[in-house]
Amino acid sequence: MLIDTYDRVATDLRVSLTDKCNLRCTYCMPEEGLQWLGKSELLSDDEIVRLIRIAVTRLGITEVRFTGGEPLLRPGLVSIVEQCAALTPRPRMSLTTNGIGLKRTATALKAAGLDRVNVSLDTLRPDVFKTLTRRDRHRDVLDGLEAAHEAGLTPVKVNSVLMPGLNDDEAPELLAWAVAHGYELRFIEQMPLDAQHGWKRDGMITAGDILTSLRTRFTLTPESDASRGSAPAERWTVDGGPHRVGVIASVTRPFCRACDRTRLTADGQVRTCLFAREETDLRGALRGDAPDEEIAQLWQTAMWGKKAGSGLDDPSFLQPDRPMSAIGG
């Protein structure tokens, strides 16, 4: 079991498969990209599967989310999913992606055992997409979403970040589109995880701003706290249901008290929180021929030291040195 001193138990593992990405979103990384991890620094496919096996069979993990960077850039992704689907007990598995490669991989991922996907899409306007991501790939994302839905990677969830002066007026249009296509929309407050450390609290689009905008067009009924559980998104039914919309308010409405996550970076570091500034090295133990029991103990010790909260509400908060692409969202 992965328990901390606040009696929170981690059952959800986020696994970053690569720090590379084929977009250059303005809230994540600079236009020229970053200095990527070397091949020898990255965990191998076998190392990733071994760590997931330890987490599932020894530490109580029941859900695994593959992230990046962009996880579809990982050549061995389908095989990794297939091997993890064969574990006993079998974890539920999902993928967070920008959607660009889903058209060609959705069917194979479903056959390998992936349960569902979260796709990042911040705008319905191709020109705004190009400005936000510095790439002209809007159509590819829409095609990827459709392919995921057709392959049965459902519910297909769409993650959207609203940025001042770019797409901050699109919340109602995004929700109407998601409802029409049968996707579950999640708005995410912009978080201080950009490589260039340009995030500013003042001026960010907050959960309150998003809800005010949505209510100009829709009737939103809040779901109960009990139905939310440890999920990061507060959810509302739209116009009486059955469709729902969520808002992940990491900055203005943090949900640290219910956090059930542990994170593994692409180079084998345990992170207890997305905003942590400390990491615990499992790659060294793996490559030093440590037995499973020792690796599990290292992981448990790391999680025991998890802090009460992210610290975002503290005026002295410092962004993690590593950007989102290296941490895994």
Side-chain angles (χ1 to χ4, degrees), residues 2 9 23 26 137 157 197 204 235-236 267 288 322:
L2 293 172
V9 178
L23 296 179
T26 56
R137 307 296 298 271
K157 297 185 180 181
H197 287 205
M204 63 170 286
R235 297 185 302 188
W236 289 261
D267 55 351
R322 304 183 81 182

Side-chain angles (χ1 to χ4, degrees), residues 1-3 50-61 262 270 280-282 285-286 290-304:
M1 181 182 293
L2 293 172
I3 190 170
R50 183 184 174 195
L51 287 175
I52 293 173
R53 175 176 56 78
I54 291 170
V56 169
T57 62
R58 293 176 176 270
L59 298 173
I61 291 297
T262 183
V270 169
T280 298
D281 180 26
L282 297 187
L286 280 172
D292 289 357
E293 294 86 350
E294 182 178 328
I295 292 170
Q297 183 61 55
L298 283 171
W299 208 328
Q300 288 174 314
T301 300
M303 293 305 295
W304 183 251

Side-chain angles (χ1 to χ4, degrees), residues 15-71:
V15 182
S16 175
L17 298 179
T18 178
D19 59 332
K20 295 183 177 67
C21 188
N22 42 11
L23 296 179
R24 296 290 182 271
C25 296
T26 56
Y27 52 77
C28 186
M29 68 175 70
E31 186 170 6
E32 64 274 13
L34 301 169
Q35 183 173 346
W36 311 120
L37 292 167
K39 186 175 181 179
S40 64
E41 297 175 274
L42 293 170
L43 294 176
S44 68
D45 293 359
D46 288 344
E47 288 171 336
I48 290 170
V49 172
R50 183 184 174 195
L51 287 175
I52 293 173
R53 175 176 56 78
I54 291 170
V56 169
T57 62
R58 293 176 176 270
L59 298 173
I61 291 297
T62 59
E63 297 192 30
V64 176
R65 172 82 64 86
F66 298 106
T67 71
E70 173 45 52

